[in-house]
Structures are given as C-alpha cells and as structure tokens.
Amino acid sequence: MPQTEGRLKQSGRLFAALAVLRLLARVDRELLTPDAAPNAKDSPEIRIRRVRGDLYEMLTAARRHCGGEHWKAASEIFRSIPGFLTAGPVPPGNINDDELAEHRAGYDAQLADYREKFPGLLD
C-alpha cells in the first residue's frame, strides 16, 4: 500500500479488509461493499463500525469452520489492519460524492490486491 494515500482511501482499504474477514469467517454470505451503507453520506467511521464486528470471533470462526486457505488468508489480513491507519484515524465526518469515490477507490484497490493474493477465495 502506498504511504502517500490519504485517510479516505486507507479507510476504504480497511473496510475491504474487514469485509473480507467477515466473508472468510462466513459471517456474511456476500462481500459487503461501502455502497451498502443505508445513508450514502455516512462517514467512513460509521461504515467501518458497521462492518468491523468482533475480530476475535471472526478469526476463530475462520480457523474453526474453514481452516486451510481461509485461515491463512484471514490471519494475514488481520495482521495487515494496522497498516490501513498510517495516514491517521478513520475520518469521522459525513462525506460528499468525491470523498465517497476516494473511499470506494481504496476498497476496490484492496479487494484487487486480495483477489490477486488469494485466488479463488473471494469469488
């Protein structure tokens, strides 16, 4: 992940990491997207709060129920989470369309990274 990314893009990457963890742990049947927010102007902080869940439970579920490649991917994703906060905390305020596009770009970029790194797990 480039060090020059801003907080909005990194918050999109963080959203992707948490959404993928939920999918790998089988908390959700479909991958959550930032577009699923009930209010299109919701802050990245509120979006993250909705998707984060209990990280311990997600990790243990990935280990207990899925194992193998799911567990390997989930544990690697979990360890990467602090890297999505290098630009600072997740932005707390509501966002406009341009900011939402930047948040979504981070999500899309991180999802592409995961699809490349863990082929077949997210399809």
Side-chain angles (χ1 to χ4, degrees):
M1 168 179 33
Q3 294 294 330
T4 58
E5 285 185 347
R7 293 187 317 156
L8 284 165
K9 193 161 186 180
Q10 282 192 352
S11 70
R13 287 182 181 273
L14 176 59
F15 187 102
L18 296 171
V20 169
L21 274 177
R22 293 174 67 91
L23 185 69
L24 292 173
R26 297 193 176 149
V27 172
D28 296 314
R29 293 179 189 263
E30 293 180 7
L31 188 64
L32 298 176
T33 70
D35 302 328
N39 181 355
K41 304 276 185 210
D42 275 352
S43 71
E45 182 180 57
I46 290 171
R47 292 165 190 268
I48 299 292
R49 194 177 308 138
R50 281 193 201 109
V51 75
R52 77 174 177 225
D54 184 322
L55 293 175
Y56 173 77
E57 290 298 323
M58 284 190 274
L59 284 173
T60 56
R63 178 71 175 131
R64 183 176 51 248
H65 299 300
C66 305
E69 293 302 309
H70 281 78
W71 166 243
K72 181 181 172 186
S75 61
E76 194 170 324
I77 290 167
F78 177 79
R79 285 191 300 272
S80 73
I81 288 174
F84 303 123
L85 298 171
T86 58
V90 174
N94 287 358
I95 56 178
N96 61 37
D97 290 339
D98 291 339
E99 293 166 327
L100 177 58
E102 187 176 347
H103 178 73
R104 178 62 194 231
Y107 171 87
D108 290 338
Q110 194 59 43
L111 202 54
D113 289 350
Y114 290 150
R115 284 198 165 112
E116 183 178 325
K117 191 169 205 169
F118 309 116
L121 287 183
L122 306 180
D123 300 327

